[in-house]
Short mmCIF file of all heavy atoms in Angstrom, two decimals:
data_model
loop_
_atom_site.label_atom_id
_atom_site.label_comp_id
_atom_site.label_asym_id
_atom_site.label_seq_id
_atom_site.Cartn_x
_atom_site.Cartn_y
_atom_site.Cartn_z
N TRP A 1435 19.32 19.08 1.81
CA TRP A 1435 18.41 17.91 1.57
C TRP A 1435 18.67 17.27 0.14
O TRP A 1435 18.77 16.05 0.06
CB TRP A 1435 16.89 18.23 1.70
CG TRP A 1435 16.52 18.33 3.15
CD1 TRP A 1435 16.63 19.39 3.90
CD2 TRP A 1435 16.10 17.33 4.07
NE1 TRP A 1435 16.12 19.07 5.25
CE2 TRP A 1435 15.88 17.82 5.36
CE3 TRP A 1435 15.86 15.95 3.79
CZ2 TRP A 1435 15.38 17.11 6.41
CZ3 TRP A 1435 15.37 15.09 4.89
CH2 TRP A 1435 15.18 15.71 6.23
N HIS A 1436 18.79 18.09 -0.86
CA HIS A 1436 19.00 17.59 -2.21
C HIS A 1436 20.34 16.95 -2.27
O HIS A 1436 20.47 15.88 -2.91
CB HIS A 1436 18.85 18.71 -3.32
CG HIS A 1436 17.43 19.17 -3.39
ND1 HIS A 1436 16.49 18.36 -3.80
CD2 HIS A 1436 16.83 20.36 -3.06
CE1 HIS A 1436 15.34 19.00 -3.81
NE2 HIS A 1436 15.55 20.23 -3.36
N GLN A 1437 21.45 17.46 -1.67
CA GLN A 1437 22.71 16.83 -1.64
C GLN A 1437 22.69 15.47 -0.87
O GLN A 1437 23.30 14.49 -1.37
CB GLN A 1437 23.76 17.69 -0.90
CG GLN A 1437 24.09 18.85 -1.76
CD GLN A 1437 24.94 19.91 -0.85
OE1 GLN A 1437 25.08 19.70 0.32
NE2 GLN A 1437 25.34 21.03 -1.59
N TRP A 1438 21.93 15.47 0.23
CA TRP A 1438 21.77 14.09 0.93
C TRP A 1438 21.06 13.10 0.04
O TRP A 1438 21.53 11.95 -0.03
CB TRP A 1438 21.02 14.43 2.14
CG TRP A 1438 20.77 13.22 2.96
CD1 TRP A 1438 21.70 12.47 3.70
CD2 TRP A 1438 19.40 12.61 3.37
NE1 TRP A 1438 21.04 11.31 4.49
CE2 TRP A 1438 19.65 11.59 4.30
CE3 TRP A 1438 18.17 13.05 2.99
CZ2 TRP A 1438 18.65 10.78 4.81
CZ3 TRP A 1438 17.09 12.27 3.58
CH2 TRP A 1438 17.29 11.03 4.37
N LYS A 1439 20.05 13.45 -0.66
CA LYS A 1439 19.37 12.53 -1.54
C LYS A 1439 20.21 12.05 -2.69
O LYS A 1439 20.39 10.89 -3.04
CB LYS A 1439 18.05 13.22 -2.11
CG LYS A 1439 17.44 12.50 -3.24
CD LYS A 1439 16.71 11.19 -2.90
CE LYS A 1439 15.95 10.82 -4.02
NZ LYS A 1439 16.16 9.40 -4.43
N ALA A 1440 20.98 13.04 -3.25
CA ALA A 1440 21.88 12.63 -4.37
C ALA A 1440 22.94 11.67 -3.98
O ALA A 1440 23.40 10.81 -4.68
CB ALA A 1440 22.52 13.95 -4.95
N ALA A 1441 23.34 11.79 -2.68
CA ALA A 1441 24.42 10.87 -2.19
C ALA A 1441 23.97 9.51 -1.75
O ALA A 1441 24.73 8.56 -1.35
CB ALA A 1441 25.17 11.59 -1.07
N ASN A 1442 22.57 9.33 -1.64
CA ASN A 1442 22.08 8.19 -1.14
C ASN A 1442 20.92 7.53 -2.07
O ASN A 1442 19.74 7.80 -1.82
CB ASN A 1442 21.49 8.47 0.27
CG ASN A 1442 22.52 8.69 1.27
OD1 ASN A 1442 23.27 7.83 1.63
ND2 ASN A 1442 22.66 9.92 1.60
N PRO A 1443 21.35 6.80 -3.13
CA PRO A 1443 20.25 6.20 -3.95
C PRO A 1443 19.38 5.27 -3.30
O PRO A 1443 18.25 4.95 -3.87
CB PRO A 1443 21.12 5.50 -5.00
CG PRO A 1443 22.45 5.29 -4.47
CD PRO A 1443 22.74 6.39 -3.47
N ALA A 1444 19.62 4.91 -2.04
CA ALA A 1444 18.76 3.97 -1.38
C ALA A 1444 17.42 4.72 -0.90
O ALA A 1444 16.50 4.14 -0.48
CB ALA A 1444 19.37 3.41 -0.19
N ILE A 1445 17.59 6.07 -0.86
CA ILE A 1445 16.24 6.89 -0.70
C ILE A 1445 15.23 6.67 -1.65
O ILE A 1445 15.50 7.30 -2.78
CB ILE A 1445 16.60 8.41 -0.25
CG1 ILE A 1445 17.56 8.40 0.85
CG2 ILE A 1445 15.36 9.06 0.07
CD1 ILE A 1445 18.24 9.80 1.01
N ILE A 1446 14.22 5.95 -1.57
CA ILE A 1446 13.27 5.80 -2.62
C ILE A 1446 12.05 6.68 -2.51
O ILE A 1446 11.41 6.82 -3.46
CB ILE A 1446 12.87 4.22 -2.68
CG1 ILE A 1446 12.22 3.90 -1.33
CG2 ILE A 1446 13.97 3.30 -3.01
CD1 ILE A 1446 11.42 2.48 -1.45
N ASP A 1447 11.89 7.36 -1.42
CA ASP A 1447 10.79 8.35 -1.35
C ASP A 1447 11.29 9.31 -0.24
O ASP A 1447 11.43 9.06 0.90
CB ASP A 1447 9.51 7.54 -0.89
CG ASP A 1447 8.33 8.59 -0.66
OD1 ASP A 1447 8.54 9.75 -0.81
OD2 ASP A 1447 7.23 8.07 -0.50
N MET A 1448 11.54 10.57 -0.77
CA MET A 1448 12.01 11.63 0.15
C MET A 1448 10.90 12.05 1.07
O MET A 1448 11.16 12.70 2.10
CB MET A 1448 12.38 12.95 -0.60
CG MET A 1448 13.77 12.75 -1.25
SD MET A 1448 15.09 12.75 -0.02
CE MET A 1448 15.07 14.37 0.68
N GLY A 1449 9.67 11.58 0.86
CA GLY A 1449 8.58 11.91 1.76
C GLY A 1449 8.33 13.38 1.75
O GLY A 1449 8.41 14.02 0.60
N ASP A 1450 8.00 14.03 2.82
CA ASP A 1450 7.70 15.50 2.88
C ASP A 1450 7.75 15.80 4.37
O ASP A 1450 7.76 15.12 5.29
CB ASP A 1450 6.21 15.58 2.30
CG ASP A 1450 6.03 16.95 1.70
OD1 ASP A 1450 6.93 17.85 1.93
OD2 ASP A 1450 5.09 17.17 1.02
N ALA A 1451 7.79 17.24 4.47
CA ALA A 1451 7.66 17.75 5.77
C ALA A 1451 6.18 17.81 6.10
O ALA A 1451 5.33 17.91 5.22
CB ALA A 1451 8.32 19.11 5.80
N LEU A 1452 5.90 17.89 7.34
CA LEU A 1452 4.46 17.98 7.79
C LEU A 1452 4.33 19.34 8.44
O LEU A 1452 5.16 19.94 9.13
CB LEU A 1452 4.25 16.93 8.90
CG LEU A 1452 4.48 15.48 8.55
CD1 LEU A 1452 4.21 14.58 9.76
CD2 LEU A 1452 3.46 15.06 7.49
N LEU A 1453 3.19 19.97 8.02
CA LEU A 1453 2.83 21.26 8.56
C LEU A 1453 2.44 21.14 10.00
O LEU A 1453 2.06 20.09 10.53
CB LEU A 1453 1.67 21.90 7.80
CG LEU A 1453 1.98 22.15 6.27
CD1 LEU A 1453 0.63 22.42 5.59
CD2 LEU A 1453 2.96 23.19 6.20
N PRO A 1454 2.75 22.24 10.79
CA PRO A 1454 2.45 22.16 12.24
C PRO A 1454 1.03 21.87 12.63
O PRO A 1454 0.80 21.44 13.76
CB PRO A 1454 3.04 23.43 12.72
CG PRO A 1454 3.25 24.38 11.60
CD PRO A 1454 3.23 23.41 10.32
N SER A 1455 0.03 22.26 11.84
CA SER A 1455 -1.28 22.11 12.15
C SER A 1455 -1.80 20.73 11.80
O SER A 1455 -1.19 20.06 11.06
CB SER A 1455 -2.23 23.09 11.43
OG SER A 1455 -2.09 22.95 10.05
N GLY A 1456 -2.92 20.38 12.42
CA GLY A 1456 -3.47 19.00 12.06
C GLY A 1456 -4.72 18.74 12.96
O GLY A 1456 -5.11 19.53 13.76
N LYS A 1457 -5.22 17.54 12.88
CA LYS A 1457 -6.36 17.12 13.63
C LYS A 1457 -5.96 15.75 14.33
O LYS A 1457 -5.20 15.02 13.70
CB LYS A 1457 -7.63 16.95 12.94
CG LYS A 1457 -8.02 18.24 12.24
CD LYS A 1457 -8.53 19.22 13.20
CE LYS A 1457 -9.15 20.45 12.49
NZ LYS A 1457 -9.41 21.63 13.38
N LYS A 1458 -6.59 15.47 15.46
CA LYS A 1458 -6.39 14.23 16.10
C LYS A 1458 -7.69 13.56 16.42
O LYS A 1458 -8.64 14.27 16.81
CB LYS A 1458 -5.56 14.54 17.50
CG LYS A 1458 -5.32 13.30 18.25
CD LYS A 1458 -4.65 13.76 19.58
CE LYS A 1458 -4.41 12.67 20.45
NZ LYS A 1458 -3.79 13.12 21.70
N VAL A 1459 -7.79 12.29 16.12
CA VAL A 1459 -9.04 11.54 16.30
C VAL A 1459 -8.69 10.50 17.37
O VAL A 1459 -7.83 9.69 17.27
CB VAL A 1459 -9.40 10.85 15.06
CG1 VAL A 1459 -10.78 10.06 15.31
CG2 VAL A 1459 -9.65 11.80 13.87
N LYS A 1460 -9.47 10.49 18.46
CA LYS A 1460 -9.25 9.52 19.53
C LYS A 1460 -10.75 9.19 20.16
O LYS A 1460 -11.40 10.19 20.43
CB LYS A 1460 -8.35 10.20 20.66
CG LYS A 1460 -8.10 9.20 21.77
CD LYS A 1460 -7.12 9.78 22.64
CE LYS A 1460 -6.78 8.72 23.85
NZ LYS A 1460 -5.82 9.37 24.79
N ASN A 1461 -11.09 8.03 20.21
CA ASN A 1461 -12.36 7.59 20.69
C ASN A 1461 -13.46 8.30 20.03
O ASN A 1461 -14.55 8.56 20.61
CB ASN A 1461 -12.36 7.78 22.20
CG ASN A 1461 -11.42 6.98 22.94
OD1 ASN A 1461 -11.04 5.96 22.65
ND2 ASN A 1461 -10.87 7.56 24.09
N GLY A 1462 -13.30 8.49 18.70
CA GLY A 1462 -14.35 9.06 17.92
C GLY A 1462 -14.40 10.63 18.11
O GLY A 1462 -15.30 11.19 17.31
N VAL A 1463 -13.60 11.20 18.76
CA VAL A 1463 -13.67 12.58 19.02
C VAL A 1463 -12.57 13.20 18.25
O VAL A 1463 -11.32 12.84 18.28
CB VAL A 1463 -13.53 13.01 20.51
CG1 VAL A 1463 -13.57 14.52 20.70
CG2 VAL A 1463 -14.69 12.34 21.27
N VAL A 1464 -12.79 14.37 17.46
CA VAL A 1464 -11.80 15.11 16.67
C VAL A 1464 -11.46 16.37 17.42
O VAL A 1464 -12.34 17.14 17.76
CB VAL A 1464 -12.39 15.40 15.35
CG1 VAL A 1464 -11.41 16.28 14.46
CG2 VAL A 1464 -12.80 14.19 14.58
N THR A 1465 -10.09 16.50 17.59
CA THR A 1465 -9.60 17.73 18.21
C THR A 1465 -8.47 18.33 17.39
O THR A 1465 -7.95 17.55 16.57
CB THR A 1465 -9.12 17.48 19.70
OG1 THR A 1465 -8.05 16.41 19.70
CG2 THR A 1465 -10.22 16.92 20.62
N ASP A 1466 -8.00 19.50 17.82
CA ASP A 1466 -6.98 20.04 17.12
C ASP A 1466 -5.71 19.33 17.63
O ASP A 1466 -5.58 18.86 18.73
CB ASP A 1466 -6.77 21.56 17.43
CG ASP A 1466 -7.77 22.42 16.75
OD1 ASP A 1466 -8.26 21.94 15.71
OD2 ASP A 1466 -8.07 23.57 17.20
N GLY A 1467 -4.71 19.09 16.67
CA GLY A 1467 -3.54 18.35 16.94
C GLY A 1467 -2.45 19.11 16.36
O GLY A 1467 -2.58 20.11 15.69
N PRO A 1468 -1.26 18.66 16.29
CA PRO A 1468 -0.87 17.38 17.08
C PRO A 1468 -0.87 17.70 18.60
O PRO A 1468 -1.13 18.74 19.13
CB PRO A 1468 0.60 17.17 16.61
CG PRO A 1468 1.06 18.52 16.13
CD PRO A 1468 -0.13 19.25 15.61
N SER A 1469 -0.64 16.52 19.38
CA SER A 1469 -0.78 16.69 20.90
C SER A 1469 0.29 17.68 21.34
O SER A 1469 1.43 17.61 21.11
CB SER A 1469 -0.41 15.29 21.47
OG SER A 1469 -1.35 14.37 20.99
N ILE A 1470 -0.26 18.64 22.18
CA ILE A 1470 0.71 19.75 22.62
C ILE A 1470 1.38 19.14 23.89
O ILE A 1470 2.27 19.80 24.46
CB ILE A 1470 -0.11 20.91 23.05
CG1 ILE A 1470 -1.31 20.66 24.02
CG2 ILE A 1470 -0.66 21.63 21.83
CD1 ILE A 1470 -1.88 21.94 24.43
N GLU A 1471 0.96 17.97 24.48
CA GLU A 1471 1.61 17.47 25.71
C GLU A 1471 3.02 16.84 25.31
O GLU A 1471 3.86 16.71 26.15
CB GLU A 1471 0.82 16.29 26.21
CG GLU A 1471 -0.58 16.60 26.66
CD GLU A 1471 -1.66 16.42 25.50
OE1 GLU A 1471 -1.45 15.71 24.56
OE2 GLU A 1471 -2.61 17.25 25.42
N SER A 1472 3.16 16.66 24.05
CA SER A 1472 4.52 16.12 23.49
C SER A 1472 5.60 17.16 23.60
O SER A 1472 5.34 18.38 23.33
CB SER A 1472 4.37 15.49 22.30
OG SER A 1472 5.59 15.14 21.69
N LYS A 1473 6.84 16.71 23.85
CA LYS A 1473 7.97 17.61 23.78
C LYS A 1473 8.56 17.58 22.42
O LYS A 1473 9.28 18.56 22.01
CB LYS A 1473 9.05 17.24 24.74
CG LYS A 1473 8.58 17.40 26.22
CD LYS A 1473 9.74 17.00 27.17
CE LYS A 1473 9.22 17.10 28.66
NZ LYS A 1473 10.08 16.62 29.57
N GLU A 1474 8.24 16.61 21.58
CA GLU A 1474 8.60 16.44 20.20
C GLU A 1474 7.45 16.34 19.27
O GLU A 1474 6.42 15.80 19.70
CB GLU A 1474 9.59 15.34 20.00
CG GLU A 1474 10.90 15.35 20.68
CD GLU A 1474 11.64 13.99 20.46
OE1 GLU A 1474 11.02 12.96 20.45
OE2 GLU A 1474 12.83 14.22 20.17
N LEU A 1475 7.56 16.73 18.09
CA LEU A 1475 6.60 16.54 17.17
C LEU A 1475 7.22 15.72 15.93
O LEU A 1475 8.28 15.98 15.48
CB LEU A 1475 6.09 17.95 16.47
CG LEU A 1475 5.30 18.77 17.58
CD1 LEU A 1475 4.98 20.09 16.84
CD2 LEU A 1475 4.06 18.01 18.04
N VAL A 1476 6.34 14.90 15.30
CA VAL A 1476 6.78 14.35 14.03
C VAL A 1476 6.66 15.41 13.01
O VAL A 1476 5.50 15.94 12.81
CB VAL A 1476 5.91 13.11 13.72
CG1 VAL A 1476 6.18 12.58 12.30
CG2 VAL A 1476 6.03 12.00 14.75
N THR A 1477 7.79 15.65 12.28
CA THR A 1477 7.80 16.77 11.40
C THR A 1477 7.94 16.38 9.97
O THR A 1477 7.87 17.14 9.06
CB THR A 1477 8.80 17.87 11.69
OG1 THR A 1477 10.02 17.20 11.78
CG2 THR A 1477 8.44 18.51 13.13
N GLY A 1478 8.17 15.05 9.66
CA GLY A 1478 8.32 14.60 8.23
C GLY A 1478 8.83 13.12 8.32
O GLY A 1478 8.96 12.57 9.28
#
């Protein structure tokens, strides 16, 4: 990752990885997330 960043000055924010846990708010209801129905997760 550091090599990729060094080779690409256009990267202005490396962002971050996301932890696997989270919460989901839908229609005012809070549940554990992310959605387990998905085959892919946003990880960063």
Side-chain angles (χ1 to χ4, degrees):
W1435 282 89
H1436 291 296
Q1437 289 171 354
W1438 179 65
K1439 166 70 169 128
N1442 293 287
I1445 301 170
I1446 60 171
D1447 182 352
M1448 279 296 286
D1450 207 344
L1452 301 175
L1453 296 173
S1455 62
K1457 300 289 181 189
K1458 180 177 174 182
V1459 179
K1460 184 175 182 179
N1461 298 325
V1463 178
V1464 178
T1465 58
D1466 287 336
S1469 298
I1470 58 172
E1471 300 87 31
S1472 177
K1473 293 179 183 175
E1474 294 182 318
L1475 295 175
V1476 173
T1477 57

